[in-house]
């Protein structure tokens, strides 16, 4: 008689599903990336976003001759990004890259400087440069920044439209190449079938040639005695004559 199965006390009782809390493992955050003009041109040329970002991460960081204080001071003078880059001897891409890595610090410095201008309305900065009476106040400066942002947005919209047109053209070229490729594949299949038929016919003809050669050899063997007999008859007739 078989012995009864023993169960441990842990396995007895109601079912247990564990007490560990469930944690979300999927990253549902949305990440946005802004491309520079050069990177946008590379993307239009066919380079993927992942490759562009990989090159950006591997690109060595260069120290630029600019500080946050200098940028804030020039920004408070209502100068545009092109003017700031030209005054500092930088390109717009270099200035944008420098701003992108310090955007939080720049925002805080701008906020502090604007608050100081509100407290001391007769100065531009701590250097004590006097204001002109007809110069716009600090409260009007965000409006100009909004206008610049609007212009940048319009430029980006135009670039997106151009990129969409190029993508549409590339899709048309892709479809044409795809049709040509499919046509070439069909032609290749037909050529392979024709080649296979020709090879089969060649093999059959080769077999037929071998068979005819064998028949010719047999006929030669049969004709040889007849030739010998004819030769003997001719020789006797010649001798009798």
């Amino acid at each position: 008689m078989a012995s009864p199965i023993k169960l441990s006390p842990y396995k007895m009782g109601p079912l247990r599903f564990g007490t560990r809390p469930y944690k979300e493992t999927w990253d549902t955050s949305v990440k946005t990336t802004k491309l520079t003009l050069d990177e946008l041109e590379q993307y239009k040329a066919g380079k993927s976003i992942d490759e562009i970002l990989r090159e950006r991460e591997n690109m060595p960081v260069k120290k630029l001759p600019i500080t946050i204080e200098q940028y804030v001071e020039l920004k408070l003078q209502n100068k545009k990004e092109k003017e700031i880059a030209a005054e500092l001897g930088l390109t717009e891409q270099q200035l944008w890259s420098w701003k992108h890595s310090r955007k939080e610090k720049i925002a805080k410095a701008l906020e502090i400087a604007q608050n100081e201008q509100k407290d001391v309305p007769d100065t531009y900065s701590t250097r004590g440069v006097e204001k002109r009476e007809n110069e716009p106040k600090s409260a009007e400066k965000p409006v100009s920044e909004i206008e610049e942002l609007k212009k940048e947005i319009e430029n980006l919209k135009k670039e997106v439209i151009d990129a969409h047109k190029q993508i549409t053209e590339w899709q048309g070229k892709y479809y044409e190449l795809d049709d040509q490729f499919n046509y070439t594949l069909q032609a290749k299949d037909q050529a392979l079938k024709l080649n296979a038929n020709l090879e089969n016919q060649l093999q059959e003809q080769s077999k037929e040639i071998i068979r005819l050669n064998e028949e010719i050899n047999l006929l030669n063997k049969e004709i040889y005695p007849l030739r010998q007999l004819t030769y003997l008859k001719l020789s006797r007739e010649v001798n009798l004559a």
Side-chain angles (χ1 to χ4, degrees), residues 21-77:
Y22 173 76
K23 293 183 179 180
E24 185 72 26
T25 57
W26 293 94
D27 185 7
T28 57
S29 61
V30 179
K31 298 179 180 180
T32 58
T33 302
K34 184 176 180 181
L35 299 179
T36 61
L37 294 178
D38 292 341
E39 291 174 343
L40 187 60
E41 291 296 329
Q42 294 176 5
Y43 176 73
K44 291 178 180 180
K47 187 176 288 187
S48 63
I49 294 294
D50 294 335
E51 188 175 357
I52 292 172
L53 295 179
R54 197 180 303 113
E55 290 180 356
R56 180 191 291 180
E57 292 177 357
N58 297 330
M59 184 181 297
V61 180
K62 297 181 180 179
K63 293 184 178 180
L64 300 178
I66 179 175
T67 61
I68 295 176
E69 291 77 9
Q70 290 176 341
Y71 176 79
V72 170
E73 183 178 354
L74 295 173
K75 195 69 177 176
L76 291 176
Q77 297 177 15

Side-chain angles (χ1 to χ4, degrees), residues 213-239:
N213 287 330
E214 291 177 353
E215 289 183 358
I216 289 170
N217 291 330
L218 290 174
L219 290 173
N220 288 329
K221 290 179 180 179
E222 292 177 358
I223 290 171
Y224 181 76
L226 294 175
R227 287 179 177 175
Q228 294 293 328
L229 180 61
T230 302
Y231 177 74
L232 290 172
K233 287 182 177 181
L234 288 172
S235 60
R236 284 181 182 179
E237 291 177 357
V238 170
N239 293 326

Side-chain angles (χ1 to χ4, degrees), residues 195-211:
N195 187 27
N197 292 331
L198 292 174
E199 287 181 353
N200 293 331
Q201 292 178 7
L202 180 63
Q203 290 179 358
E204 291 176 358
Q205 294 296 330
S206 298
K207 291 179 180 178
E208 184 68 16
I209 290 171
I210 293 171
R211 187 184 65 80

Side-chain angles (χ1 to χ4, degrees), residues 13-193:
L15 295 175
R16 292 180 294 275
F17 296 96
T19 58
R20 181 178 296 178
Y22 173 76
K23 293 183 179 180
E24 185 72 26
T25 57
W26 293 94
D27 185 7
T28 57
S29 61
V30 179
K31 298 179 180 180
T32 58
T33 302
K34 184 176 180 181
L35 299 179
T36 61
L37 294 178
D38 292 341
E39 291 174 343
L40 187 60
E41 291 296 329
Q42 294 176 5
Y43 176 73
K44 291 178 180 180
K47 187 176 288 187
S48 63
I49 294 294
D50 294 335
E51 188 175 357
I52 292 172
L53 295 179
R54 197 180 303 113
E55 290 180 356
R56 180 191 291 180
E57 292 177 357
N58 297 330
M59 184 181 297
V61 180
K62 297 181 180 179
K63 293 184 178 180
L64 300 178
I66 179 175
T67 61
I68 295 176
E69 291 77 9
Q70 290 176 341
Y71 176 79
V72 170
E73 183 178 354
L74 295 173
K75 195 69 177 176
L76 291 176
Q77 297 177 15
N78 286 334
K79 291 188 176 182
K80 298 180 180 180
E81 300 297 323
K82 292 182 180 179
E83 297 175 349
I84 294 173
E87 186 170 343
L88 295 171
L90 306 174
T91 61
E92 292 185 36
Q93 181 183 358
Q94 289 175 333
L95 182 60
W96 184 89
S97 301
W98 179 85
K99 284 172 51 184
H100 182 71
S101 60
R102 300 168 178 83
K103 55 185 178 180
E104 295 181 357
K105 295 181 180 180
I106 292 172
K108 289 181 181 179
L110 278 173
E111 184 180 358
I112 293 171
Q114 289 174 357
N115 291 332
E116 289 179 354
Q117 282 190 350
K118 290 179 181 180
D119 296 337
V120 187
D122 59 340
T123 57
Y124 264 125
S125 62
T126 56
R127 294 184 180 182
V129 180
E130 295 182 355
K131 273 191 173 184
R132 296 179 181 177
E133 292 180 357
N134 58 353
E135 192 172 359
K137 297 180 181 180
S138 60
E140 299 176 356
K141 290 177 182 177
V143 177
S144 62
E145 293 179 1
I146 292 172
E147 293 297 329
E148 290 182 4
L149 289 174
K150 287 182 179 179
K151 290 180 181 179
E152 291 181 2
I153 290 171
E154 291 297 327
N155 293 331
L156 289 174
K157 286 181 179 179
K158 292 179 182 179
E159 291 176 356
V160 170
I161 292 171
D162 294 338
H164 181 70
K165 290 180 180 178
Q166 289 187 356
I167 290 172
T168 305
E169 292 177 358
W170 291 341
Q171 285 179 346
K173 292 180 181 179
Y174 168 77
Y175 291 141
E176 291 178 1
L177 292 173
D178 187 58
D179 293 339
Q180 293 178 2
F181 179 72
N182 292 329
Y183 176 77
T184 305
L185 286 179
Q186 292 177 359
K188 179 183 176 182
D189 293 337
Q190 292 177 358
L192 289 174
K193 291 179 181 179

